[in-house]
Amino acid sequence: MEAVVTVAELGVDLGRTPVLRGLDLVVGAGEVVGILGPNGSGKSTLLRVLATLLPPTAGGGSVLGARLSSAAVHGVRPSIGLVGHDSGLHPRLTLAENLRYLAVLTGRPDEQAREALDVAGLARAAGRRAEQCSQGMRRRADLARILVTEPSLLLLDEPHAGLDRSSFGLVDLVAQGVRARGGAVVIVSHDSPRLASLADRLLELDAGRLVPAGTGMVSEGPR
């Protein structure tokens, strides 16, 4: 498989606190990788590095062919989708306006934005401002963003948080869409059973490093 993500001996310090240490990860095209770990284990920090938003302190690698910490990452950022704890929506815009704005920025037709809201079950709330929406609605709208932007690398941080059970299938749909296009998905969570149903393989963060799930002694640490 062609590698979408390749990192070796990756280290990240936040302030004077080491969070990731000697971490290795390769994610191939068409692959969904799940990473387990409790709150504070460094899962969100790793996703920020893979999103090219946080430079590593040690080691390195590449994402979508761009070397981490190089100017080349600016060229691949539009092809990376990150759904994190904080909504990527503009709070004063309606859900429809948020998605239409993304469609314009990425050269997609308005119809794609409307279809994404419909798939996410938000068609009736399209005219509601994001700041007036519940956490679950904002999370579904964030996933709808991915349907519009069609990233080559999708990074999901606790994607089921805030969703009711009837919306869990939306996470699967979005992830499988990226896989079908030959992209890659990295999902971090503390929910082992749900992650196992989505991922091709499971890893866990153990003392700042990635090991096969079930082989490490996961310890608490900085997030």
Side-chain angles (χ1 to χ4, degrees), residues 86-136:
D86 297 324
S87 172
L89 306 171
H90 191 293
R92 302 299 297 275
L93 296 180
T94 67
L95 299 183
E97 288 169 340
N98 268 285
L99 265 64
R100 281 201 301 269
Y101 180 62
L102 273 177
V104 170
L105 285 179
T106 57
R108 269 76 173 185
D110 281 355
E111 181 61 28
Q112 193 160 333
R114 289 193 293 271
E115 289 176 356
L117 280 176
D118 189 38
V119 170
L122 294 169
R124 293 184 178 180
R128 187 179 302 182
R129 289 196 312 208
E131 64 186 1
Q132 297 172 329
C133 294
S134 67
Q135 180 186 0

Side-chain angles (χ1 to χ4, degrees), residues 23-115:
L23 184 147
D24 299 322
L25 176 65
V26 176
V27 185
E31 189 176 21
V32 178
V33 173
I35 298 176
L36 293 162
N39 291 336
S41 60
K43 303 188 304 296
S44 297
T45 298
L46 175 58
L47 287 194
R48 289 177 63 202
V49 173
L50 299 184
T52 75
L53 302 177
L54 178 66
T57 307
S62 65
V63 174
L64 295 172
R67 184 169 55 84
L68 293 174
S69 301
S70 74
V73 300
H74 299 289
V76 301
R77 279 180 185 164
S79 298
I80 301 173
L82 173 63
V83 177
H85 296 282
D86 297 324
S87 172
L89 306 171
H90 191 293
R92 302 299 297 275
L93 296 180
T94 67
L95 299 183
E97 288 169 340
N98 268 285
L99 265 64
R100 281 201 301 269
Y101 180 62
L102 273 177
V104 170
L105 285 179
T106 57
R108 269 76 173 185
D110 281 355
E111 181 61 28
Q112 193 160 333
R114 289 193 293 271
E115 289 176 356

Side-chain angles (χ1 to χ4, degrees), residues 13-18:
D13 296 344
L14 297 182
R16 296 185 178 181
T17 303

Side-chain angles (χ1 to χ4, degrees), residues 2 16-17 27 101 105 109 112 157 178 180 183 185-186 201 209:
E2 180 184 354
R16 296 185 178 181
T17 303
V27 185
Y101 180 62
L105 285 179
Q112 193 160 333
D157 195 344
V178 174
V185 183
V186 179
R201 57 189 170 105
R209 295 178 173 85

